[in-house]
Amino acid sequence: MAANIRKAVTEDAASWIQLVKATLGEDHPNKQVYDPAWVAAELASGLPGNETWVAEEGGKIQASISVLGAVTANENPVCNLGRNLFHPSSYADGAAEALLGKVTELAVLRRQMCVTRVLASDNPQQVLIEKTGFVCVGFQPLKHITKTREEVLFYVKRARSMASNRLPLSESLPQIGELAAAVLQHLVIPGAPAIRDGGTGYPLQTDVVISPASEDDYKAAREAAAAQNPPQEISSNFNWGTGFMRVSAAMALRAVLSHREGKVVAGMRYLYDEQDRCVRVMEAFCTDNLSLGAVLQHVTKAAQAELSAAYVEMDVLTSSVKLLISAEQLGFVPAAYLPGFHKVHDGTMDLVKMVKLNQTYSIEHDKLTAHALTIVNVIKHCLQDQSIGVAIINLLRDLELFKGLGDGELRKVARLFTQKLFRPGEKIFGKDDQGHEAYVVMRGQIDILLEENTAPIATLGQGQVFGELSFLDGGKRGALAIAKQASILLVMQRPQFFEMTQREPNLGLAVMRNIALELTVRLRRTNAALSAKK
């Protein structure tokens, strides 16, 4: 007998809870899904864009899908599907497929694209959703806590032609360009050539004061800034609700404002999801074209240090090149590409979900379809910098040489280093040797001598840099370096460094500036010492 596909009503609460128990078990962390009063209230809403549909057989609900409405009214042409619950038997008897077909048919009639999240461990749902015409557009490790912290796939089903109004992507965003190309190919949407715009991010270090703000103060500042027509850079309509089931629990909204010379120049509002222990950046504004990078850096640091968030995420318009570059500098990577998801004037704008992971992760492939795996591999490539050892990143972060760099920039620098082990008494370089390498002491001690068999003029320990002067100009070494004890050094080759500075001129400029400042400090110390001897 064919399943009865219909909208859910309040009286379905008990049967819906039984479906939850059959699919998610009885100990899902979103406890509201077992509360008859909460479920009844959720099922009562039957308005288009905020409704639940079910497949019923023999008086039992076998499958359910909710359309998760946006908190604020918007014209974005998107149908956000969530709380997908499919009893194992509904795959075999066709009830799940019939329900999914009905919901997506309604979205097509409303000229909306469907988007949904599927656990990477749920292969049956991946197979079903791909059979219904959805394509994979993203992958995010650590996304949701169910029984464990799980990876999630993002799927989209298009409902209209999307060949027009596609802005070219900046060549300054190669990782996003790689993901966009794969997604647009999956969706059979014509892409656009990359544009060579020489894009740069917001500076991460600026002379602003950033402080927490109340909800009222943030709204007042945002409204005051509206007169200057700051560009919209973040879309937040898909990120409300907590946990995998997107329950409307009390959410901890926070905000910060950035001041320069007593005036508010930027602000950011973000949500802390206690269920998934993550931070979602919901909106931001900037009136001086400078301060948003520093604000984002402040929020990402607070997310890790104060909230112990597993990750920070935000949906950024692809037109917001400065913010996307700043996010990459801070260690964000693209996790999903969402074409045509944001309404602007008479067209639409693509979004990219940017994620900064604060925990180590692993990717399991055994439950992924071949189709999903193609996108996973693209994002895995984007995430490869995360595999750089945390100890190396932490070491570089504390060095004056790399002061002011974000985690994303530090990872790029860290890739240039190799580790070398030196035995006690082993020479690292000799006096008058050509200087093609710079060194950082990761472990051990290094003696610096003007001549062999003389007393060292300096002994360097963990975190200290040496050999950088000859490294810069390729000239001869002015001293020799010998391992005082067994030591592990991080070694950077001169050609690789200058190749990076050509690819990443802003990053290279920041490092060269720090080197110049360090040399200035040394020169002043030397001059002061010479003056003291006179």
Side-chain angles (χ1 to χ4, degrees):
M1 184 177 67
N4 177 29
I5 310 299
R6 60 175 178 80
K7 277 186 182 181
V9 294
T10 301
E11 290 74 20
D12 291 320
S15 184
W16 192 86
I17 292 173
Q18 289 302 311
L19 178 63
V20 169
K21 293 179 179 179
T23 54
L24 302 180
E26 301 193 22
D27 57 351
H28 193 273
N30 284 139
K31 300 305 180 186
Q32 291 94 327
V33 298
Y34 304 108
D35 178 1
W38 181 87
V39 173
E42 288 294 306
L43 299 184
S45 175
L47 296 176
N50 190 13
E51 63 217 85
T52 295
W53 287 78
V54 297
E56 182 184 46
E57 289 181 323
K60 291 181 61 177
I61 295 177
Q62 294 293 90
S64 174
I65 298 175
S66 294
V67 179
L68 304 176
V71 172
T72 56
N74 69 89
E75 297 178 342
N76 293 338
V78 178
C79 178
N80 187 17
L81 305 182
R83 303 177 191 156
N84 302 347
L85 302 172
F86 303 130
H87 192 280
S89 64
S90 69
Y91 291 105
D93 62 19
E97 184 176 353
L99 174 62
L100 187 58
K102 176 63 176 180
V103 174
T104 55
E105 178 187 343
L106 288 173
V108 170
L109 291 174
R110 296 168 184 170
R111 297 183 59 77
Q112 293 176 324
M113 294 174 293
C114 291
V115 61
T116 192
R117 296 158 293 129
V118 179
L119 296 178
S121 60
D122 192 344
N123 182 262
Q125 190 172 159
Q126 293 170 45
V127 172
L128 170 66
I129 210 160
E130 290 173 14
K131 181 180 179 182
T132 314
F134 283 76
V135 301
C136 187
V137 299
F139 167 77
Q140 185 175 332
L142 311 178
K143 174 69 171 169
H144 289 305
I145 294 178
T146 54
K147 292 182 179 178
T148 60
R149 188 173 283 281
E150 295 201 53
E151 306 162 336
V152 160
L153 298 163
F154 296 92
Y155 279 91
V156 164
K157 183 172 183 179
R158 55 182 287 191
R160 54 189 171 79
S161 172
M162 300 178 63
S164 62
N165 299 326
R166 174 143 289 97
L167 295 179
L169 275 172
S170 169
E171 272 192 353
S172 306
L173 301 164
Q175 289 186 333
I176 295 173
E178 182 183 6
L179 177 59
V183 167
L184 295 176
Q185 183 178 6
H186 267 186
L187 285 164
V188 196
I189 297 173
I195 183 172
R196 184 169 295 177
D197 57 2
T200 59
Y202 292 107
L204 302 182
Q205 306 291 327
T206 62
D207 58 339
V208 293
V209 177
I210 301 172
S211 57
S214 68
E215 182 79 358
D216 289 341
D217 287 345
Y218 176 84
K219 289 180 178 179
R222 184 189 60 194
E223 290 173 5
Q228 300 181 52
N229 197 28
Q232 182 172 0
E233 301 187 76
I234 295 172
S235 181
S236 62
N237 288 300
F238 313 106
N239 287 325
W240 295 95
T242 62
F244 178 59
M245 294 294 283
R246 284 292 187 256
V247 302
S248 55
M251 294 173 286
L253 277 168
R254 301 163 186 254
V256 295
L257 293 174
S258 172
H259 298 78
R260 177 182 284 110
E261 298 178 354
K263 296 181 179 179
V264 175
V265 291
M268 185 168 285
R269 189 166 72 143
Y270 58 102
L271 177 155
Y272 177 59
D273 183 341
E274 294 183 359
Q275 171 58 58
D276 285 329
R277 297 202 300 276
C278 70
V279 163
R280 300 194 200 104
V281 179
M282 306 306 288
E283 63 176 301
F285 67 89
C286 181
T287 61
D288 64 356
N289 204 33
L290 287 173
S291 302
L292 200 55
V295 174
L296 180 59
Q297 179 171 244
H298 177 90
V299 169
T300 55
K301 286 182 176 179
Q304 186 168 16
E306 299 173 18
L307 300 173
S308 299
Y311 60 88
V312 182
E313 67 177 9
M314 59 180 178
D315 292 349
V316 185
L317 277 65
T318 52
S319 58
S320 304
V321 175
K322 291 177 73 70
L323 181 57
L324 287 168
I325 293 175
S326 294
E328 184 184 77
Q329 290 170 336
L330 290 169
F332 284 77
V333 295
Y337 191 84
L338 306 166
F341 264 52
H342 188 85
K343 183 76 166 60
V344 288
H345 308 301
D346 58 348
T348 58
M349 183 71 66
D350 297 354
L351 297 180
V352 57
K353 181 177 287 293
M354 300 293 289
V355 177
K356 184 181 190 308
L357 304 179
N358 295 328
Q359 294 184 3
T360 56
Y361 69 95
S362 61
I363 297 176
E364 303 295 337
H365 288 172
D366 59 325
K367 299 293 180 65
L368 297 172
T369 65
H371 170 80
L373 190 55
T374 60
I375 295 296
V376 170
N377 284 336
V378 171
I379 294 174
K380 182 180 179 182
H381 180 251
C382 296
L383 285 164
Q384 66 182 357
D385 287 345
Q386 298 280 352
S387 63
I388 297 293
V390 174
I392 295 177
I393 297 295
N394 289 338
L395 180 63
L396 298 182
R397 185 184 291 114
D398 293 333
L399 299 182
E400 288 296 320
L401 190 62
F402 305 114
K403 183 179 180 181
L405 300 187
D407 281 6
E409 294 173 309
L410 288 172
R411 289 191 181 96
K412 292 177 181 178
V413 172
R415 283 202 320 222
L416 302 180
F417 283 100
T418 57
Q419 294 185 40
K420 287 187 179 180
L421 173 64
F422 291 86
R423 297 183 297 273
E426 186 175 356
K427 183 185 294 185
I428 298 157
F429 56 74
K431 187 175 182 180
D432 294 329
D433 286 353
Q434 291 296 126
H436 297 299
E437 298 175 326
Y439 304 85
V440 180
V441 182
M442 191 171 186
R443 188 176 303 167
Q445 289 186 328
I446 305 298
D447 283 338
I448 306 297
L449 303 87
L450 290 177
E451 302 289 345
E452 292 200 42
N453 301 318
T454 62
I457 59 172
T459 298
L460 307 178
Q462 180 177 347
Q464 291 187 279
V465 181
F466 65 99
E468 71 272 29
L469 293 182
S470 297
F471 170 82
L472 285 177
D473 63 8
K476 294 181 178 181
R477 303 288 188 186
L480 63 152
I482 297 175
K484 183 176 182 179
Q485 55 186 239
S487 301
I488 299 175
L489 303 183
L490 298 178
V491 185
M492 181 191 293
Q493 301 290 332
R494 186 169 182 265
Q496 282 77 11
F497 173 74
F498 283 102
E499 182 182 334
M500 181 199 70
T501 62
Q502 291 176 346
R503 293 194 315 268
E504 307 272 352
N506 291 323
L507 175 53
L509 178 62
V511 175
M512 298 297 281
R513 178 197 61 206
N514 289 340
I515 291 174
L517 290 173
E518 179 64 18
L519 293 179
T520 300
V521 170
R522 292 183 188 179
L523 182 59
R524 286 177 174 168
R525 286 175 183 167
T526 301
N527 289 340
L530 291 174
S531 298
K533 291 181 179 179
K534 292 180 180 179

